[in-house]
Amino acid sequence: MSDGLFDQFKTWYEKRHDYARDWKARTGGQVVATMCTYTPEELLIAAGMLPVRVLGAHEPQNVTEPHIFGMFCPFCRDSLAQGLLGRFDYAEGVTLTQSCIQYRQTFGSWRLHVPTVKWDYYVPMPNEVQSQHSRKAHYEEVQSFRVFLQTLTGKEITDAMLSDALAVCDENRRLLRELYDYRKEADPKVTGVEALYASLTAQFIDKREHNEMLKKTLAALPTRKVERKTGARFMTIGSENDDIAFMGMVESVGATIVIDDQCSGSRYFWNASKPEGDVIKAIAERYCDRPACPTKDYPAHTRFDHVLGLAKDYDVQGAIFLQQKFCDPHEGDYPDLKRHLEENGIPTLFLEFDITNPIGPFRIRIEAFLETLSEEELF
């Protein structure tokens, strides 16, 4: 659509480094590069910092080979390349909350070899969040992160400051859920590309600014005129993917991406915190409760029914698995999740992705998938 409603989100996405530098100049606050959306960003915000999620640049690079293996997923390598190339030279700190082994090594290399990093912190979140011990353990780790930030800044981070930061984050999550609700309509008022711009920018724009822009956007959506055909209703599933060009290509050939299960989208914001007198407990348990990444989805596969529920709620006609090449966690649960969806009437397409390579070859596979869906409707 060309009404400009999502132009600010698009500009923020394309000029995110410029935004971070400007924010730093305006506020005098620290910018922190965050790796993985399990990072408890509420603590950083309470400390007066700007969390900026590390994303790749979707371009070939040759600087990471001395540091991590070439068979690590393209997102690991692209993320490290951005640090080594100085793209995040405005970030004083870098944090990681335990995700996959490969990304932890990416973090380790970043903290050692990116010269502008002044401090780093690793949050060892339990992977088995279903364990009866995980919540207490994560509570203690979030509390330790709070103590670290207080020591780093020399300022107390009070419960009131944390509660305010949590409220801002929860409002952002609520507003993004409202935005996603417009994608349930028969003719969605929000495209997949637009939704991706909104969800991604929430991960590196000041939450208060982002909330105000979301409110303006939501106020305009009820009367927005849909000027495009919806076509097939697709869902995307898988590893981190902020490839706007790919999403745009899918939506240019007769489809609309109406929902996702990715950390670049819905998994990041889907659940808000629960009412709790202890603010650290509220923050810690919110991350334990969020829709699980495959690294944290065992022994029971809770995400399978969650993904299927999304597919049904958004009237999905086909699911596209977008797996980063060599992504072990998503590769491990793909066969069972594919079976779960197909047994419940959701056709699937698997695409193994390298975010630094051209997307052109995938167009014909998307078009073939669309033809298959059309043929199935005839019988």
Side-chain angles (χ1 to χ4, degrees):
M1 301 181 195
S2 57
D3 57 6
L5 190 56
F6 286 81
D7 283 358
Q8 181 61 75
F9 298 106
K10 181 175 184 288
T11 298
W12 277 338
Y13 174 78
E14 294 176 345
K15 298 183 178 180
R16 55 188 178 274
H17 298 305
D18 292 339
Y19 174 88
R21 291 187 178 92
D22 178 67
W23 182 93
K24 187 174 179 178
R26 283 189 288 114
T27 67
Q30 288 195 39
V31 180
V32 183
T34 62
M35 306 177 86
C36 182
T37 54
Y38 276 98
T39 297
E41 57 187 355
E42 293 89 345
L43 275 71
L44 298 171
I45 294 169
M49 301 175 179
L50 177 68
V52 173
R53 189 183 180 190
V54 176
L55 299 173
H58 304 279
E59 60 187 18
Q61 56 79 27
N62 61 358
V63 297
T64 62
E65 283 69 17
H67 305 292
I68 59 175
F69 290 112
M71 50 70 65
F72 282 12
C73 83
F75 182 65
C76 286
R77 290 181 282 119
D78 201 6
S79 295
L80 177 56
Q82 300 315 296
L84 296 174
L85 292 169
R87 306 280 171 77
F88 288 83
D89 59 1
Y90 51 80
E92 285 92 342
V94 58
T95 70
L96 172 70
T97 299
Q98 170 61 24
S99 53
C100 68
I101 295 173
Q102 291 85 352
Y103 209 46
R104 182 172 180 180
Q105 292 189 47
T106 298
F107 165 75
S109 188
W110 180 297
R111 59 191 283 272
L112 288 172
H113 301 296
V114 177
T116 50
V117 169
K118 295 182 176 64
W119 61 267
D120 60 84
Y121 195 87
Y122 168 72
V123 182
M125 180 180 182
N127 272 348
E128 193 179 347
V129 295
Q130 297 173 22
S131 164
Q132 61 178 328
H133 306 294
S134 65
R135 292 170 185 268
K136 182 178 179 180
H138 194 44
Y139 175 92
E140 296 298 335
E141 295 298 347
V142 174
Q143 189 70 271
S144 295
F145 190 29
R146 176 190 195 174
V147 172
F148 170 82
L149 290 172
Q150 289 180 145
T151 303
L152 177 72
T153 62
K155 298 178 181 178
E156 182 184 7
I157 301 174
T158 66
D159 283 358
M161 295 163 70
L162 287 168
S163 294
D164 182 60
L166 178 57
V168 171
C169 290
D170 277 344
E171 181 180 30
N172 190 253
R173 293 159 185 151
R174 176 182 61 79
L175 293 170
L176 284 168
R177 283 289 299 266
E178 287 184 24
L179 182 73
Y180 266 50
D181 281 346
Y182 280 98
R183 304 169 74 188
K184 292 180 178 179
E185 298 179 2
D187 294 309
K189 289 187 170 68
V190 180
T191 68
V193 169
E194 291 169 338
L196 187 58
Y197 277 135
S199 63
L200 279 169
T201 50
Q203 300 174 36
F204 47 75
I205 298 298
D206 186 301
K207 285 287 191 295
R208 291 175 176 83
E209 289 184 53
H210 200 266
N211 287 346
E212 290 307 309
M213 185 52 58
L214 282 172
K215 290 174 186 176
K216 291 179 182 178
T217 304
L218 287 165
L221 280 176
T223 57
R224 192 184 201 194
K225 294 182 180 180
V226 179
E227 300 176 351
R228 62 186 297 277
K229 293 183 179 180
T230 301
R233 301 174 66 90
F234 281 164
M235 176 183 199
T236 56
I237 303 170
S239 318
E240 189 285 336
N241 191 295
D242 64 314
D243 198 326
I244 298 292
F246 174 84
M247 304 299 181
M249 178 273 288
V250 172
E251 296 195 318
S252 73
V253 297
T256 300
I257 299 169
V258 296
I259 189 60
D260 67 80
D261 178 67
Q262 297 183 268
C263 63
S264 49
S266 69
R267 285 207 305 270
Y268 168 69
F269 65 81
W270 202 249
N271 68 313
S273 66
K274 296 176 182 176
E276 173 59 58
D278 185 334
V279 65
I280 289 291
K281 185 177 181 182
I283 292 170
E285 294 201 351
R286 183 263 158 189
Y287 287 93
C288 290
D289 290 337
R290 59 165 268 187
C293 164
T295 63
K296 294 177 171 59
D297 194 36
Y298 61 87
H301 287 305
T302 61
R303 66 187 298 263
F304 287 13
D305 282 339
H306 171 71
V307 171
L308 179 61
L310 289 177
K312 291 181 176 179
D313 287 347
Y314 286 79
D315 194 21
V316 167
Q317 295 168 286
I320 304 173
F321 285 86
L322 300 174
Q323 181 185 296
Q324 296 281 353
K325 193 173 185 179
F326 306 131
C327 178
D328 293 340
H330 282 274
E331 186 176 63
D333 79 356
Y334 161 70
D336 290 334
L337 180 53
K338 168 186 169 69
R339 186 180 307 111
H340 190 61
L341 290 174
E342 292 182 346
E343 287 176 350
N344 285 278
I346 308 294
T348 68
L349 172 68
F350 177 81
L351 299 176
E352 190 174 52
F353 236 68
D354 184 333
I355 61 175
T356 63
N357 285 344
I359 62 168
F362 290 124
R363 181 185 179 111
I364 192 169
R365 296 191 62 186
I366 296 294
E367 291 175 331
F369 189 43
L370 284 167
E371 286 187 20
T372 301
L373 295 178
S374 298
E375 291 171 358
E376 288 179 353
E377 289 179 0
L378 295 175
F379 296 95

